[in-house]
Amino acid sequence: MAGHQLDQVQHGRDPDDWKPMPSVGPGVREIRIRDAAGAFRVIYVAKFGSTIYVLHCFQKKTPATRKGDLDLARNRYRDLLTEYER
């Protein structure tokens, strides 16, 4: 399911269910997936050249996204910016 959603992004289309994640970084989005196994999230950014960077994927266990998941995505975004600016 997540692979199909990322394929849509690769082909210039929006995922079926997503929201912006400005608290993680500019241009960051979250794909929201729900199925019989539960709720899953893929946090990604696709604004650096033609590359999609998946910052974090996880299964959601509570209505609110855990701070640890957001912090991890923020840190990976920051590291990506540092690497991209070199």
Side-chain angles (χ1 to χ4, degrees), residues 18-64:
W18 67 275
K19 72 174 189 174
M21 296 293 290
S23 64
V24 174
V28 176
R29 291 181 167 189
E30 176 185 69
I31 297 173
R32 301 183 290 191
I33 300 168
R34 291 176 191 84
D35 67 14
F40 301 87
R41 301 295 186 260
V42 178
I43 299 175
Y44 74 96
V45 63
K47 71 174 199 164
F48 296 103
S50 60
T51 305
I52 297 167
Y53 293 94
V54 175
L55 302 172
H56 188 40
C57 309
F58 56 97
Q59 183 171 8
K60 213 161 157 169
K61 305 280 187 177
T62 62

